[in-house]
Amino acid sequence: MTATIIDGKEAAKEMRQQLAEEVSRLKEKGVTPGLVVILIGDDPASLSYVRGKKKAAETMGMHFKLDHLEDTIEEDKLLSLIDQYNQDDSFHGILVQLPLPKHISEKAVIERISTEKDVDGFHPLNIGKMLLGEETFLPCTPAGIVELLKKTNTDLSGKEVVVIGRSNIVGKPVGQLLLNENATVTFCHSRTKDIGAHTRKADILIVAVGKAHFLTADQIKEGAIVIDVGVNRLDSGKLVGDVDFEAAKEKASYITPVPGGVGPMTITMLAHNTVKSAKNRM
Ligand code: GUN
């Protein structure tokens, strides 16, 4: 079998067109959805992600501000800045780009962002709501993955899903969202004894470990759907995912490429959450 490539760029483009229309309708009513991104330091990957967010937000007609801070900023100062944005009506979404410098507590930062402006969906209260299946801001990468799976017209109910990776940003929440869709979800991680024994049973595989060529074709069941969340830069400069794409695409029914798979959808879901927040305020 040769897999159909799930085109994340195209899916994102369609959704961005709809969002742009929604932004213009909101603007006619006097509300411009606004997003502020706080970036601390000059990590090249973070800079590149933030540029993507800015471009997407501006293309959709949203108000975007980048607050770029020195990596020596004290935690107290950062928390006061978040307080300021919590009060500022021109911003409906606040995103603090992770990872943070070691002297700043990620937990303190995430918990300081107003739950009503938490467009990352990382606040414990919003994660709790997601767990309960209540209406809230869904974390962007997991929500984007669910949208991509819907593009394959697969009924998720009863499907064997294996998630590799258990991060708070991707692994844990994507498993939860798919459980909410009635899938049977298994989480694999660095302590799992025999990952292949699990993956070979999976109808849907979600790989989010951050290691190039981590998932090989022999670990994939014929006809499985493979979602590759990894973004790894090889010494050659080439960007690759966590899946051995060339071999895996001969076994999977659907597969996401890197780049051009999950990434564009993540940014689109951030815009979606910002528009949702603006509408909540009306
Ligand atoms: N760093 C890598 N991914 C993310 C994300 O989704 N949100 C934030 N805030 N930082 C990140």
Side-chain angles (χ1 to χ4, degrees), residues 20 37 162 205:
V37 172
V162 170
L205 267 165

Side-chain angles (χ1 to χ4, degrees), residues 158-162 199 201-205 221 223-226 253:
K159 288 291 183 305
E160 290 287 342
V161 172
V162 170
T199 59
K201 286 194 253 173
D203 301 312
I204 300 171
L205 267 165
K221 181 170 83 171
I225 299 176
V226 178
S253 58

